[in-house]
Amino acid sequence: MNRLILFSAPSGTGKNTIIKEILAQRKNLAYSVSTTTRKNRPGEENGVHYWFISIEQFRKEIDGNAFLEYAEVLGNFYGTSRREIDRILSDGKTPVMDIDVQGARILLQKKIPMLTIFLKPPSIEILRQRLTARGTESAKEIERRIQLAIEEIHAEPEFDYAVTNDLLEKAIAEVLSIIDREIPSAT
Ligand code: 5GP
Protein backbone atom coordinates (compact mmCIF):
# COMPACT_ATOMS: atom_id res chain seq x y z
CA MET A 1 0.00 0.00 0.00
CA ASN A 2 1.27 3.47 -0.90
CA ARG A 3 2.04 5.62 2.10
CA LEU A 4 -0.50 8.39 2.69
CA ILE A 5 0.69 11.97 3.19
CA LEU A 6 -0.96 13.77 6.08
CA PHE A 7 -0.78 17.52 6.69
CA SER A 8 -2.01 19.16 9.85
CA ALA A 9 -1.78 22.85 10.63
CA PRO A 10 -3.53 25.45 12.70
CA SER A 11 -6.18 27.28 10.69
CA GLY A 12 -4.63 30.22 8.81
CA THR A 13 -1.13 28.72 8.51
CA GLY A 14 -1.29 28.80 4.73
CA LYS A 15 -1.74 25.05 4.50
CA ASN A 16 -4.17 25.22 1.58
CA THR A 17 -1.75 27.27 -0.53
CA ILE A 18 1.13 24.93 0.24
CA ILE A 19 -0.89 21.79 -0.51
CA LYS A 20 -2.20 23.26 -3.77
CA GLU A 21 1.34 24.02 -4.89
CA ILE A 22 2.79 20.61 -4.07
CA LEU A 23 -0.11 18.92 -5.88
CA ALA A 24 0.61 21.06 -8.94
CA GLN A 25 4.28 20.11 -8.84
CA ARG A 26 4.06 16.38 -8.13
CA LYS A 27 1.68 14.64 -10.50
CA ASN A 28 1.56 11.37 -8.61
CA LEU A 29 -0.10 12.97 -5.60
CA ALA A 30 -3.88 13.37 -5.35
CA TYR A 31 -5.89 15.38 -2.86
CA SER A 32 -8.27 13.48 -0.61
CA VAL A 33 -11.43 15.61 -0.54
CA SER A 34 -12.84 15.51 2.99
CA THR A 35 -16.51 15.48 3.90
CA THR A 36 -17.82 18.21 6.19
CA THR A 37 -20.95 19.63 7.77
CA ARG A 38 -19.44 23.15 7.63
CA LYS A 39 -21.11 25.69 5.33
CA ASN A 40 -19.08 26.43 2.24
CA ARG A 41 -17.10 29.68 2.19
CA PRO A 42 -17.30 31.91 -0.89
CA GLY A 43 -15.42 30.23 -3.73
CA GLU A 44 -15.48 26.76 -2.20
CA GLU A 45 -16.90 24.08 -4.49
CA ASN A 46 -18.60 20.83 -3.61
CA GLY A 47 -16.34 17.91 -4.52
CA VAL A 48 -13.29 20.13 -4.93
CA HIS A 49 -12.60 21.69 -1.53
CA TYR A 50 -14.93 19.47 0.45
CA TRP A 51 -17.99 17.33 0.08
CA PHE A 52 -20.53 19.49 1.91
CA ILE A 53 -23.27 17.43 3.58
CA SER A 54 -25.86 17.81 6.35
CA ILE A 55 -25.30 16.66 9.90
CA GLU A 56 -27.96 13.95 9.41
CA GLN A 57 -26.13 12.63 6.37
CA PHE A 58 -22.82 12.77 8.22
CA ARG A 59 -24.28 10.65 11.05
CA LYS A 60 -25.48 8.10 8.50
CA GLU A 61 -22.01 7.94 6.99
CA ILE A 62 -20.53 7.36 10.46
CA ASP A 63 -23.02 4.53 11.07
CA GLY A 64 -22.15 3.03 7.70
CA ASN A 65 -18.43 3.04 8.64
CA ALA A 66 -17.71 5.33 5.69
CA PHE A 67 -14.90 7.23 7.40
CA LEU A 68 -11.30 6.24 7.96
CA GLU A 69 -11.36 8.94 10.63
CA TYR A 70 -13.57 11.87 11.57
CA ALA A 71 -13.54 14.61 14.17
CA GLU A 72 -15.49 17.58 15.38
CA VAL A 73 -13.57 20.82 14.87
CA LEU A 74 -14.99 24.10 16.17
CA GLY A 75 -18.58 22.85 16.03
CA ASN A 76 -18.47 21.17 12.62
CA PHE A 77 -17.74 17.60 11.61
CA TYR A 78 -14.99 16.66 9.19
CA GLY A 79 -14.11 13.19 7.93
CA THR A 80 -11.85 11.32 5.52
CA SER A 81 -13.93 8.88 3.52
CA ARG A 82 -12.55 5.42 2.84
CA ARG A 83 -13.98 5.65 -0.68
CA GLU A 84 -11.87 8.72 -1.44
CA ILE A 85 -8.63 7.11 -0.22
CA ASP A 86 -9.37 3.80 -1.98
CA ARG A 87 -10.08 5.59 -5.26
CA ILE A 88 -6.74 7.43 -5.13
CA LEU A 89 -4.79 4.31 -4.15
CA SER A 90 -6.40 2.23 -6.88
CA ASP A 91 -5.26 4.89 -9.37
CA GLY A 92 -1.73 4.14 -8.14
CA LYS A 93 -1.41 7.60 -6.60
CA THR A 94 -0.44 8.87 -3.18
CA PRO A 95 -3.32 10.45 -1.22
CA VAL A 96 -2.70 13.84 0.39
CA MET A 97 -4.87 14.55 3.41
CA ASP A 98 -5.46 17.81 5.21
CA ILE A 99 -6.82 16.92 8.62
CA ASP A 100 -6.79 18.22 12.17
CA VAL A 101 -4.62 16.95 15.02
CA GLN A 102 -7.41 14.73 16.45
CA GLY A 103 -7.85 13.01 13.08
CA ALA A 104 -4.07 12.63 12.73
CA ARG A 105 -3.96 10.87 16.10
CA ILE A 106 -6.73 8.46 15.08
CA LEU A 107 -4.83 7.47 11.93
CA LEU A 108 -1.56 7.11 13.86
CA GLN A 109 -3.31 4.80 16.35
CA LYS A 110 -4.68 2.75 13.46
CA LYS A 111 -1.08 2.39 12.24
CA ILE A 112 -1.98 3.59 8.75
CA PRO A 113 1.32 3.93 6.83
CA MET A 114 1.87 7.67 6.56
CA LEU A 115 4.28 10.51 6.14
CA THR A 116 3.05 13.17 8.59
CA ILE A 117 3.93 16.84 8.22
CA PHE A 118 2.93 19.56 10.66
CA LEU A 119 2.84 23.07 9.22
CA LYS A 120 3.12 25.92 11.67
CA PRO A 121 2.92 29.68 11.61
CA PRO A 122 6.03 31.69 12.53
CA SER A 123 4.18 32.99 15.61
CA ILE A 124 0.70 33.26 17.11
CA GLU A 125 0.72 37.01 16.42
CA ILE A 126 1.39 36.44 12.72
CA LEU A 127 -1.34 33.78 12.67
CA ARG A 128 -3.80 36.31 14.12
CA GLN A 129 -2.82 38.84 11.45
CA ARG A 130 -3.27 36.26 8.67
CA LEU A 131 -6.68 35.13 9.92
CA THR A 132 -7.82 38.75 10.20
CA ALA A 133 -6.57 39.52 6.67
CA ARG A 134 -8.38 36.47 5.25
CA GLY A 135 -11.62 38.05 6.46
CA THR A 136 -13.68 34.85 6.31
CA GLU A 137 -14.32 34.56 10.08
CA SER A 138 -15.73 36.90 12.71
CA ALA A 139 -13.48 38.33 15.46
CA LYS A 140 -14.94 35.80 17.91
CA GLU A 141 -14.32 32.93 15.51
CA ILE A 142 -10.73 34.12 14.96
CA GLU A 143 -10.11 34.04 18.72
CA ARG A 144 -11.47 30.46 18.91
CA ARG A 145 -9.12 29.47 16.11
CA ILE A 146 -6.18 31.13 17.88
CA GLN A 147 -6.94 29.22 21.10
CA LEU A 148 -7.16 25.98 19.15
CA ALA A 149 -3.89 26.80 17.33
CA ILE A 150 -2.10 27.23 20.67
CA GLU A 151 -3.27 23.73 21.68
CA GLU A 152 -2.46 22.18 18.30
CA ILE A 153 1.10 23.53 18.25
CA HIS A 154 1.81 21.31 21.27
CA ALA A 155 1.19 18.27 19.04
CA GLU A 156 4.19 19.06 16.81
CA PRO A 157 6.44 16.28 18.24
CA GLU A 158 3.85 13.66 17.24
CA PHE A 159 4.55 14.34 13.54
CA ASP A 160 7.44 13.07 11.41
CA TYR A 161 8.32 16.61 10.27
CA ALA A 162 7.43 20.19 11.16
CA VAL A 163 7.78 23.01 8.64
CA THR A 164 7.36 26.68 9.52
CA ASN A 165 5.50 28.74 6.95
CA ASP A 166 7.48 31.95 7.23
CA LEU A 167 8.31 32.53 3.58
CA LEU A 168 5.85 30.64 1.41
CA GLU A 169 8.36 29.68 -1.31
CA LYS A 170 10.79 28.37 1.27
CA ALA A 171 8.10 26.32 3.03
CA ILE A 172 6.98 24.80 -0.30
CA ALA A 173 10.56 23.87 -1.21
CA GLU A 174 11.08 22.31 2.20
CA VAL A 175 7.89 20.22 1.94
CA LEU A 176 8.79 19.08 -1.59
CA SER A 177 12.24 17.99 -0.50
CA ILE A 178 10.76 15.96 2.39
CA ILE A 179 8.27 14.27 0.05
CA ASP A 180 10.90 13.53 -2.62
CA ARG A 181 13.18 12.01 -0.01
CA GLU A 182 10.49 9.97 1.76
CA ILE A 183 8.25 9.02 -1.18
CA PRO A 184 10.36 8.98 -4.35
CA SER A 185 7.42 7.62 -6.37
CA ALA A 186 5.52 10.89 -5.84
CA THR A 187 7.19 12.77 -8.68
P1 5GP B 1 -11.56 24.59 7.69
O1 5GP B 1 -12.94 24.74 8.23
O2 5GP B 1 -10.69 25.78 8.00
O3 5GP B 1 -11.54 24.21 6.23
O4 5GP B 1 -10.91 23.35 8.44
C1 5GP B 1 -10.91 23.29 9.84
C2 5GP B 1 -10.05 22.12 10.31
O5 5GP B 1 -10.62 20.88 9.90
C3 5GP B 1 -8.63 22.13 9.74
O6 5GP B 1 -7.73 21.89 10.81
C4 5GP B 1 -8.62 20.99 8.77
O7 5GP B 1 -7.35 20.40 8.66
C5 5GP B 1 -9.58 20.04 9.45
N1 5GP B 1 -10.09 19.02 8.54
C6 5GP B 1 -10.42 19.14 7.22
N2 5GP B 1 -10.80 17.96 6.72
C7 5GP B 1 -10.70 17.06 7.73
C8 5GP B 1 -10.94 15.66 7.83
O8 5GP B 1 -11.31 14.97 6.90
N3 5GP B 1 -10.73 15.10 9.05
C9 5GP B 1 -10.33 15.80 10.14
N4 5GP B 1 -10.12 15.15 11.28
N5 5GP B 1 -10.08 17.11 10.07
C10 5GP B 1 -10.26 17.74 8.90
Side-chain angles (χ1 to χ4, degrees):
M1 180 177 171
N2 275 357
R3 248 202 311 172
L4 280 53
I5 300 178
L6 182 157
F7 285 98
S8 268
S11 173
T13 304
K15 177 182 53 183
N16 294 350
T17 315
I18 293 174
I19 292 178
K20 210 168 145 192
E21 195 55 36
I22 65 147
L23 288 167
Q25 295 199 31
R26 295 292 180 272
K27 293 299 173 202
N28 221 18
L29 304 180
Y31 188 61
S32 159
V33 178
S34 292
T35 303
T36 185
T37 61
R38 169 166 80 60
K39 298 265 172 298
N40 60 326
R41 297 188 187 124
E44 283 183 337
E45 277 177 60
N46 195 37
V48 177
H49 299 90
Y50 283 107
W51 296 104
F52 296 97
I53 65 170
S54 66
I55 180 81
E56 292 75 21
Q57 190 60 34
F58 200 96
R59 291 217 172 90
K60 276 192 202 141
E61 304 263 321
I62 294 173
D63 292 344
N65 196 24
F67 297 120
L68 199 55
E69 64 72 37
Y70 69 91
E72 189 181 349
V73 185
L74 299 172
N76 295 301
F77 285 95
Y78 297 83
T80 304
S81 80
R82 294 178 193 279
R83 203 183 320 117
E84 189 76 10
I85 298 294
D86 290 347
R87 180 184 58 78
I88 296 169
L89 290 173
S90 65
D91 274 357
K93 295 195 173 185
T94 298
V96 173
M97 302 175 293
D98 162 359
I99 68 181
D100 86 319
V101 167
Q102 305 171 73
R105 287 182 177 142
I106 295 170
L107 296 180
L108 285 168
Q109 273 167 13
K110 288 189 174 182
K111 306 248 185 295
I112 305 275
M114 292 188 295
L115 166 63
T116 60
I117 303 177
F118 187 73
L119 300 172
K120 55 180 186 165
S123 70
I124 289 294
E125 204 31 58
I126 291 176
L127 184 67
R128 185 177 279 114
Q129 286 166 17
R130 286 181 186 168
L131 283 169
T132 307
R134 184 164 85 181
T136 49
E137 279 84 20
S138 66
K140 195 168 153 230
E141 189 58 32
I142 290 173
E143 272 322 301
R144 284 177 79 196
R145 283 173 188 249
I146 295 287
Q147 287 314 313
L148 182 60
I150 293 168
E151 285 169 33
E152 287 181 332
I153 286 169
H154 287 125
E156 179 188 326
E158 297 170 43
F159 290 77
D160 296 327
Y161 292 90
V163 173
T164 304
N165 184 15
D166 191 351
L167 285 172
L168 185 61
E169 295 310 318
K170 197 165 150 274
I172 291 167
E174 213 177 310
V175 170
L176 283 174
S177 93
I178 293 169
I179 292 175
D180 290 346
R181 192 165 63 239
E182 295 274 348
I183 307 184
S185 62
T187 42

